[in-house]
Amino acid sequence: LFPAVSPEIVVREARLEDCWEVAETHCSSFFPGYSFPLDIVLRVDRLMAMIMGFSVPPGCQRICLVAVIGSSVDETICIGSQGFKIGAFDAKISLSKGYVAGILTVDTVADYLPRKGPLRQRRTGIAYISNVAVRESFRRKGIAKRLIWKAEALAKSWGCRAVGLHCELSNLGATKLYKDQGYRSIKIPEGASWPQPKTSPDTRFNFMMKLLNNNTAQTLEQFR
């Protein structure tokens, strides 16, 4: 089913035909211990959440990126309108036989960024990366890095000055990956309660951020 040599990797925005493979990649990475029939329930739930649940507040952005193996942009035949979307996805249907090997979501909704000021205002100018997952058989091939690079390029195009993310403290491999890409841990001020991803209550996270400009002191000071 897959090329024996290193195939081309294309990182692009997810399309409708990617939905099931995106759900499969997400669930197999974050819930690997589940088996039938619960695994099917999880995948369908994730699929519907992607199609129906990617609504964002006015002025915000949210995009699901996919790393496609064995596909070329030049070889992709698309049917549909470039500007029409269903949920968070392009309504174009592709005839490409590419295989989704990795996923990443980037947004400016700021649900998991610390609120600002006494009025708890939503932060702006900071993109947030989540749901980074690579299928097990395709790991350690640079796919996660390429997804991150594309997310950062999108953040810059949106006018963001920084990118933030949460990484499980126990996931040393992911922590090293983000540090190698320039992300640094942000210490939570004593007594502060910052939002975290909704997972198991026993899971502990490290909040990390990377600056997309040189104004390091000013950006970090805004998080204190």
Side-chain angles (χ1 to χ4, degrees):
L1 291 179
F2 309 113
V5 297
S6 294
E8 183 176 359
I9 301 172
V10 176
V11 176
R12 58 166 171 78
E13 184 175 350
R15 302 186 185 124
L16 281 176
E17 75 271 15
D18 302 320
C19 284
W20 181 256
E21 287 193 11
V22 171
E24 168 71 23
T25 303
H26 177 97
C27 293
S28 63
S29 297
F30 294 110
F31 311 107
Y34 288 104
S35 58
F36 182 84
L38 189 54
D39 60 335
I40 299 297
V41 174
L42 284 170
R43 284 158 175 75
V44 171
D45 178 75
R46 178 62 182 165
L47 177 66
M48 297 308 299
M50 288 188 297
I51 295 176
M52 306 302 297
F54 267 17
S55 59
V56 296
C60 294
Q61 302 275 357
R62 178 179 284 143
I63 286 180
C64 177
L65 296 175
V66 292
V68 183
I69 294 289
S71 173
S72 170
V73 174
D74 295 334
E75 297 171 355
T76 299
I77 303 174
C78 295
I79 304 171
S81 170
Q82 177 74 31
F84 180 61
K85 286 180 177 286
I86 297 178
F89 295 94
D90 247 330
K92 293 185 298 181
I93 302 298
S94 169
L95 301 183
S96 165
K97 295 186 180 299
Y99 179 84
V100 173
I103 59 173
L104 177 152
T105 300
V106 57
D107 66 63
T108 59
V109 181
D111 281 340
Y112 298 110
L113 297 178
R115 294 302 178 104
K116 183 170 60 174
L119 298 180
R120 309 287 293 168
Q121 294 176 310
R122 186 185 301 272
R123 290 186 181 270
T124 58
I126 302 175
Y128 183 79
I129 286 176
S130 61
N131 296 327
V132 182
V134 177
R135 291 181 187 257
E136 186 174 4
S137 57
F138 291 104
R139 290 172 186 168
R140 288 176 288 278
K141 299 181 184 296
I143 292 176
K145 291 180 183 179
R146 296 184 68 163
L147 286 163
I148 292 169
W149 295 341
K150 180 65 173 180
E152 292 172 355
L154 281 172
K156 286 183 179 180
S157 72
W158 296 337
C160 294
R161 63 183 181 276
V163 180
L165 57 86
H166 282 90
C167 182
E168 288 188 33
L169 285 175
S170 60
N171 193 337
L172 300 182
T175 299
K176 183 180 186 303
L177 167 68
Y178 294 128
K179 285 184 175 180
D180 289 347
Q181 299 307 305
Y183 289 81
R184 296 294 178 261
S185 299
I186 303 298
K187 185 177 180 181
I188 299 177
E190 187 175 352
S193 179
W194 288 9
Q196 292 193 4
K198 298 179 177 64
T199 57
S200 169
D202 297 329
T203 304
R204 298 178 60 200
F205 290 96
N206 182 21
F207 179 66
M208 308 180 76
M209 192 169 71
K210 177 179 180 177
L211 304 173
L212 301 177
N213 56 40
N214 296 323
N215 201 352
T216 306
Q218 180 180 349
T219 304
L220 292 179
E221 185 62 29
Q222 294 176 353
F223 278 82
R224 301 187 187 281

